[in-house]
Amino acid sequence: MSELTSFTLAAARDALRRKDISAMELADAHLAAIEAARALNAYVLETPDAARTMAAAADARLAKEEARPLDGVPVAIKDLFCTKGVRTTACSRILDNFVPTYESTVTAQLWRDGAVMLGKTNNDEFAMGSSNETSHFGPVISPWRRHGANTTLVPGGSSGGAAAAVAANLCLAAAGTDTGGSIRQPAAFTGTVGIKPTYGRCSRWGIVAFASSLDQAGPFARSVRDAAILLTSMAGHDPKDTTSADVPVPDYEAAIGRSVTGMSIGIPKEYRMPGMPPEIEALWHQGAEWLKAAGARLVDISLPHTKYALPAYYIVAPAEASSNLARYDGVRYGLRVSGNDINDLYEKTRGEGFGKEVRRRVMIGTYVLSAGYYDAYYLRAQKVRTLIKRDFERCYADGVDAILTPATPSAAFGIGEKSSGDPIEMYLNDVFTVTVNMAGLPGISVPAGLDAQGLPLGLQLIGRPFDEETLFALGQVIEDAAGPLVPERWW
Amino acid sequence: MSVDAENVRRIAHLARIAVADDEIEHLKGELNAILAFVEQLSEVDVAGVEPMTSVTPMAMKKREDIVTDGGIADDIVRNAPATQDHYFVVPKVVE
């Protein structure tokens, strides 16, 4: 494909400012690439008209030397962000043809800074999934394939479309969301960089809610620097989200290249899972060695409640989801299936509008919150959550600056391979990422190498609250050592 | 703990989700698999542990009790499947 689509965000930004390229030609090159890659099903809505209007405006500002931080940079938006006048579905049938009359705060900040919207990307329905197979629009096909095979693989999920679009050069970067690993796991599967910032760093206003105490927005990009640039625009206090943190947002790009000498990196023994492929173990060790070679100190640490994070998550997240998704009633927006009375209307609308995974989680959530079960399930899970957070707090109080773990327990798997039988098998994908959401911490996934079959693997760095800068500095060390991972074009 | 077919019907009704009779058995199996998985939490000693209410320590934000938005009835009903004069239309609820 055209060279214009293989730019990093940082290089494109600089080329735009030098007027080596125009925002319009950059947008056009990406729109053409998206059209040629429809087989991947990464986008559920292409917005070429909006892209060209925004690119023209960016070019006008660039001509007047009034460039904004992201002027002319084409990005993709997960279909969980409400975009004014642009259909937003959370990839659920129940939102049908919902066209928001408002803009989410995060996307509004991207447009404020001059970014250009290429379209809305595919995701698991309501972000519930780890493979992008629960989308009402069908699965996303990963741009990656195993050596010498043409088996279609998942890009991970829930932000699978955003990850695939970034990996396949269908945008320079993308905005996703992460409730239990939905940015970091697909980033690891597609050889891209993804960061879930500290809870409260990005406003949740205008993002379709899944589990409000866990949901956070964050960027996907092809380099650590690009992710830092995008997060600087996405983050910030918003009075419209009472859980958004009123703390200043640093210029994250300035953290790139910062020395990591003397930093203390925790290696948690509980992340050494039984049955973990030796390649993952070796990669983890390799990552630790890279950080050590850059001057960091490695420390063995213990996070004793790690194994309880996933079961606690599967109580807390469905409980919050069952409450959040009560709003889909067939009355105010979205799909409506007529019934004999109001209850019949609700039940039929929700029965037909929700897919199987969403239905399953709403029902589990309803059960654990119901009379007689609340204490045994929900309250206990919230206490376990306190213990999980304490594990991290203890390590940070002991002087650990960041924690290094594998991002996922395996490389990407085939479409249909894990979606038929036991739901738990799919849930285990998030075993290394979910702890971070439960504790509200920032976590970044950085591509670190290929497995024997030629598929990307990622490493995760977990930071102190509101210390994303350390993650960018350390992530850059891994990126420098591992180099970028690029899929061979077959689509 | 586990659920039986009757529990599944009750939960579906509480969640206002229509479930066909021939789906009950399958759903029961899935829900029980999840409940069996989360059962391991019962081995954690949570005596004296406060349940988490806010993941980052923050004071509840308050604002002045004034109108900050409104007058957008057109926007509110724009995506509704059935409306009449800025009202949502539903089946008769009160006899």
Side-chain angles (χ1 to χ4, degrees):
Chain A
M1 218 46 208
S2 142
E3 257 180 38
L4 288 168
T5 58
S6 54
F7 269 117
T8 61
L9 190 163
R13 174 193 62 185
D14 299 344
L16 283 160
R17 289 193 187 163
R18 286 195 306 269
K19 309 207 176 50
D20 293 348
I21 56 171
S22 71
M24 192 60 81
E25 56 183 334
L26 195 57
D28 280 335
H30 281 90
L31 292 168
I34 292 168
E35 215 180 302
R38 285 193 182 137
L40 301 181
N41 204 24
Y43 284 81
V44 294
L45 184 72
E46 298 166 21
T47 55
D49 294 344
R52 292 194 178 102
T53 305
M54 293 164 106
D59 275 333
R61 285 188 298 266
L62 285 157
K64 286 190 284 182
E65 306 289 337
E66 289 168 1
R68 300 174 183 181
L70 296 173
D71 247 337
V73 169
V75 297
I77 305 296
K78 185 179 185 179
D79 205 25
L80 223 60
F81 291 88
C82 285
T83 40
K84 189 174 180 178
V86 175
R87 189 193 71 187
T88 301
T89 68
C91 296
S92 178
R93 194 182 161 211
I94 209 158
L95 266 164
D96 200 26
N97 192 32
F98 179 66
V99 179
T101 54
Y102 48 85
E103 187 79 29
S104 84
T105 298
V106 164
T107 49
Q109 289 178 184
L110 291 174
W111 316 144
R112 171 203 69 197
D113 285 353
V116 169
M117 175 167 67
L118 294 169
K120 305 295 289 286
T121 53
N122 207 339
N123 52 256
D124 281 295
E125 184 181 0
F126 284 109
M128 297 181 193
S130 306
S131 64
N132 213 119
E133 291 170 291
T134 72
S135 166
H136 177 56
F137 295 99
V140 174
I141 313 293
S142 175
W144 287 87
R145 285 175 166 180
R146 297 183 181 117
H147 281 321
N150 55 13
T151 316
T152 50
L153 303 177
V154 303
S158 68
S159 315
V166 171
N169 291 357
L170 309 180
C171 57
L172 291 183
T177 62
D178 188 317
T179 303
S182 285
I183 289 174
R184 291 158 290 154
Q185 184 256 19
F189 277 13
T190 57
T192 54
V193 178
I195 179 167
K196 180 202 91 72
T198 313
Y199 184 80
R201 196 47 118 168
C202 291
S203 169
R204 292 182 296 106
W205 195 83
I207 299 173
V208 177
F210 163 13
S212 302
S213 78
L214 302 159
D215 296 344
Q216 259 297 288
F220 282 92
R222 291 195 290 270
S223 76
V224 175
R225 179 184 294 274
D226 288 2
I229 294 169
L230 208 65
L231 183 60
T232 306
S233 284
M234 292 169 72
H237 177 239
D238 177 13
K240 287 190 284 196
D241 172 5
T242 52
T243 63
S244 110
D246 196 359
V247 290
V249 178
D251 173 10
Y252 290 120
E253 193 181 3
I256 305 294
R258 190 183 280 183
S259 166
V260 303
T261 301
M263 276 189 194
S264 176
I265 308 299
I267 309 290
K269 65 174 187 210
E270 288 80 6
Y271 283 63
R272 199 158 280 123
M273 300 260 299
M276 190 160 85
E279 282 173 309
I280 303 272
E281 175 97 38
L283 183 87
W284 189 14
H285 182 73
Q286 174 68 75
E289 289 303 315
W290 286 331
L291 296 178
K292 197 172 154 191
R297 244 170 356 100
L298 306 179
V299 200
D300 288 322
I301 59 167
S302 174
L303 300 165
H305 295 90
T306 298
K307 69 177 273 209
Y308 302 111
L310 204 56
Y313 175 85
Y314 275 97
I315 291 173
V316 174
E320 293 184 15
S322 74
S323 168
N324 272 326
L325 272 58
R327 72 190 70 185
Y328 303 103
D329 57 5
V331 172
R332 289 166 296 169
Y333 33 72
L335 178 76
R336 174 180 208 148
V337 180
S338 302
N340 305 324
D341 54 31
I342 188 79
N343 262 318
D344 197 36
L345 180 151
Y346 290 153
E347 293 193 358
K348 283 185 173 149
T349 298
R350 291 162 63 81
E352 289 189 28
F354 290 145
K356 284 191 164 59
E357 181 63 28
V358 173
R359 177 175 74 174
R360 191 150 61 210
R361 295 205 200 182
V362 168
M363 286 180 69
I364 280 287
T366 303
Y367 179 67
V368 300
L369 290 177
S370 65
Y373 298 99
Y374 179 89
D375 285 3
Y377 286 111
Y378 188 70
L379 200 64
R380 175 169 281 267
Q382 289 289 46
K383 289 178 179 174
V384 171
R385 200 175 166 189
T386 298
L387 293 172
I388 292 163
K389 185 167 177 248
R390 255 186 223 168
D391 284 354
F392 285 103
E393 285 170 345
R394 199 164 292 137
C395 290
Y396 292 136
D398 287 345
V400 167
D401 293 294
I403 295 165
L404 180 74
T405 78
T408 58
S410 75
F413 44 88
I415 287 179
E417 237 170 64
K418 294 193 184 191
S419 55
S420 42
D422 183 359
I424 307 299
E425 199 191 342
M426 184 67 83
Y427 296 172
L428 287 171
N429 260 288
D430 295 329
V431 67
F432 297 141
T433 48
V434 80
T435 50
V436 179
N437 301 75
M438 293 298 270
L441 300 170
I444 192 170
S445 174
V446 182
L450 299 176
D451 73 358
Q453 296 180 299
L455 297 183
L457 297 169
L459 287 171
Q460 173 178 241
L461 286 153
I462 306 168
R464 296 165 179 265
F466 299 105
D467 187 16
E468 290 84 3
E469 289 167 285
T470 294
L471 300 185
F472 287 125
L474 290 164
Q476 186 64 46
V477 172
I478 292 176
E479 180 176 290
D480 288 343
L485 306 181
V486 182
E488 210 170 295
R489 187 162 187 272
W490 54 265
W491 56 90
Chain B
M1 279 179 262
S2 62
V3 292
D4 59 20
E6 205 33 58
N7 295 144
V8 174
R9 284 198 182 86
R10 190 181 64 90
I11 298 164
H13 178 64
L14 281 175
R16 298 293 184 272
I17 297 177
V19 173
D21 280 341
D22 60 0
E23 291 178 297
I24 296 284
E25 268 312 298
H26 183 67
L27 256 173
K28 188 183 86 177
E30 289 176 347
L31 297 184
N32 281 330
I34 298 169
L35 292 173
F37 176 65
V38 302
E39 193 59 40
Q40 50 184 307
L41 294 182
S42 59
E43 71 196 47
V44 185
D45 181 6
V46 293
V49 178
E50 281 293 308
M52 182 178 285
T53 48
S54 170
V55 70
T56 42
M58 51 170 68
M60 172 81 155
K61 284 178 204 155
K62 299 171 191 75
R63 64 169 180 85
E64 262 186 277
D65 186 14
I66 50 164
V67 176
T68 58
D69 202 356
I72 51 166
D74 283 342
D75 280 357
I76 301 289
V77 298
R78 182 154 300 158
N79 281 284
T83 60
Q84 201 182 326
D85 308 328
H86 287 164
Y87 287 95
F88 297 114
V89 177
V90 295
K92 193 171 178 182
V93 177
V94 182
E95 288 303 324

